[in-house]
Amino acid sequence: GEDLAIMPLEIVNRGEDPVLATVNVLAAPLDPLPAGGKGFTIERKYYTLDGVETDVSQVNQNDRFVVVLSIVQQNNWPSRIVVSDLLPGGLEIDSPKLVGSADLKSFEWLGNVSAAHSEFRADRFVAAFDVGKGGNREFTAAYVVRAVSPGKFVQPAALVEDMYRPQFSARTAQGRLDVSPVQP
């Protein structure tokens, strides 16, 4: 942006045929977006492995937490819902397939975790729900993370949306995460 302000770019069509020009811009908001949405609410909380709610703005390297996403759908029609929780730098998912103690069955205090499908990706957790008409409109997804890299990081918003009605979606607020290195 600053370079273009100093030396504007001029594009000229010197041919006889019209030319289609497309400009793509990728950017992040200067100020974090607040929590909100339409058709859903979503809340993200962190817990110790013992089930005690905790603040993760200041953590130590190698600390582990259970991330719990609580979603409420505010309509009554059948839908397919997807939840995506981007990880901040500094955190990594403990895959239950690789780390037995990350299996949610080990955390009875969670109650019923109801995702029909879940994925543990390098940069995010993804869960899908298949919702019939009527019935329960409250859903919970959970996964285990470990603080791996010291530093100061932005916690991206968690998102929920109706896969076939994207105008119905919601997000949590963004946050901050400070991971302190292990002390020798």
Side-chain angles (χ1 to χ4, degrees), residues 27-178:
L30 287 176
D31 296 316
L33 297 173
K38 178 181 176 186
F40 293 95
T41 61
I42 182 170
E43 181 179 41
R44 176 179 46 217
K45 291 185 178 179
Y46 289 89
Y47 294 86
T48 64
L49 299 184
D50 297 330
V52 177
E53 189 174 346
T54 189
D55 176 19
V56 295
S57 59
Q58 297 271 332
V59 301
N60 295 313
Q61 191 176 16
N62 293 323
D63 285 350
R64 295 174 66 216
F65 305 97
V66 178
V67 182
V68 177
L69 301 167
S70 302
I71 301 104
V72 177
Q73 183 178 5
Q74 298 172 332
N75 56 55
N76 197 30
W77 53 65
S79 56
R80 298 194 192 282
I81 297 169
V82 67
V83 176
S84 179
D85 191 13
L86 292 168
L87 295 174
L91 291 186
E92 209 172 77
I93 293 176
D94 270 358
S95 172
K97 293 181 173 99
L98 301 176
V99 182
S101 61
D103 189 340
L104 293 178
K105 293 177 198 142
S106 304
F107 304 105
E108 293 177 4
W109 55 267
L110 272 173
N112 183 27
V113 178
S114 54
H117 173 77
S118 57
E119 296 179 16
F120 305 94
R121 298 182 184 177
D123 67 340
R124 73 191 70 202
F125 169 79
V126 178
F129 299 87
D130 190 7
V131 184
K133 184 174 178 156
N136 188 11
R137 295 308 203 208
E138 297 181 16
F139 312 96
T140 302
Y143 62 100
V144 177
V145 294
R146 179 185 306 269
V148 293
S149 301
K152 296 181 185 297
F153 306 99
V154 171
Q155 168 71 67
L159 307 169
V160 59
E161 76 174 345
D162 185 315
M163 292 169 58
Y164 299 105
R165 298 175 195 94
Q167 69 271 26
F168 297 111
S169 64
R171 68 183 169 275
T172 63
Q174 293 181 354
R176 306 278 312 156
L177 173 73
D178 186 356

